[in-house]
Amino acid sequence: MEISNEEYCALKAQVSILQNQVNSMQAPKKITKLRDLLKEQVVSHVTNLDNEKPIFGYSDFCGDAWNQAFLPLAKMIHEPSRLFYMGTACNGPYHPRPYIRSLDKRDRLKKVSDLTPEQLEVSVQMLDELIPIYNKYFKMLHQKVMFDPTGKGDYELIGVMDEDIIKEGEKWRTSSF
């Protein structure tokens, strides 16, 4: 049975997701990395893909977007709500009135490994929705980089290759006519 390169990549991604789910079920207390459970990784920066040619692409190696935004969101979503109580507020020196106040004594999660399997699943679902949106706008705003081919300060704009374009090119080259 012969399958296309696109079908192969889709099946490979499904196998990876299923394997990660199996691994997390077998050892729910031991979470290696939250990133391993996600469908798509956060684009962190533009990088050179070839050290000898000006070919640039997007890198999903850990960066500020993951460490300062997405990872904290994955934990923050599970923080319990504040505690509320009835207090009083003064409406003048001798007229106290009822007033609802809150305490901010919440237990904040320090590590992803503190999440229950159910909480982890919610975090993964949330990130699987948010990351493609972030990546879309990152790629829209970083379509070109400045490159100096001579090293003398003569910069020129070079387009950044998206992985979807690269995959399309590979599919076109490997398809039989």
Side-chain angles (χ1 to χ4, degrees):
M1 179 172 112
E2 191 172 319
I3 61 173
S4 70
N5 189 31
E6 184 177 294
E7 290 172 322
Y8 170 76
C9 291
L11 290 172
K12 187 175 175 183
Q14 285 179 339
V15 168
S16 177
I17 290 168
L18 291 172
Q19 185 61 50
N20 287 332
Q21 289 174 349
V22 167
N23 292 345
S24 67
M25 284 182 210
Q26 291 173 346
K29 293 292 181 190
K30 184 180 179 187
I31 300 168
T32 54
K33 287 186 180 179
L34 175 62
R35 289 173 51 102
D36 293 342
L37 301 174
L38 300 174
K39 292 178 185 174
E40 184 175 337
Q41 299 300 312
V42 178
V43 173
S44 62
H45 60 277
V46 175
T47 187
N48 59 310
L49 300 177
D50 188 330
N51 286 329
E52 297 177 11
K53 299 175 195 163
I55 301 173
F56 301 94
Y58 300 105
S59 173
D60 61 8
F61 189 71
C62 278
D64 289 344
W66 173 255
N67 293 324
Q68 295 177 11
F70 290 101
L71 184 58
L73 279 175
K75 296 184 286 186
M76 191 182 309
I77 192 84
H78 301 290
E79 289 182 2
S81 296
R82 294 178 173 186
L83 301 172
F84 295 91
Y85 68 95
M86 183 60 75
T88 57
C90 289
N91 198 14
Y94 302 106
H95 299 88
R97 62 180 177 90
Y99 190 80
I100 296 175
R101 298 184 182 275
S102 66
L103 295 172
D104 192 14
K105 293 191 175 197
R106 299 176 283 175
D107 294 328
R108 290 190 160 83
L109 293 167
K110 303 279 188 230
K111 300 181 280 188
V112 173
S113 59
D114 293 339
L115 295 173
T116 66
E118 294 79 19
Q119 290 174 320
L120 182 65
E121 185 177 333
V122 169
S123 289
V124 168
Q125 287 175 3
M126 177 187 67
L127 293 176
D128 279 341
E129 291 181 36
L130 293 175
I131 289 171
I133 296 168
Y134 173 85
N135 286 349
K136 172 186 169 185
Y137 287 98
F138 183 94
K139 290 176 180 180
M140 180 181 15
L141 295 172
H142 298 88
Q143 294 179 2
K144 295 183 184 261
V145 294
M146 297 296 287
F147 173 68
D148 178 7
T150 62
K152 297 178 181 177
D154 299 326
Y155 287 91
E156 58 187 60
L157 283 174
I158 301 287
V160 178
M161 298 187 71
D162 193 355
E163 60 199 30
D164 298 333
I165 295 169
I166 295 169
K167 286 179 187 174
E168 280 296 316
E170 289 173 2
K171 187 174 102 174
W172 180 79
R173 275 187 250 127
T174 58
S175 63
S176 57
F177 293 99

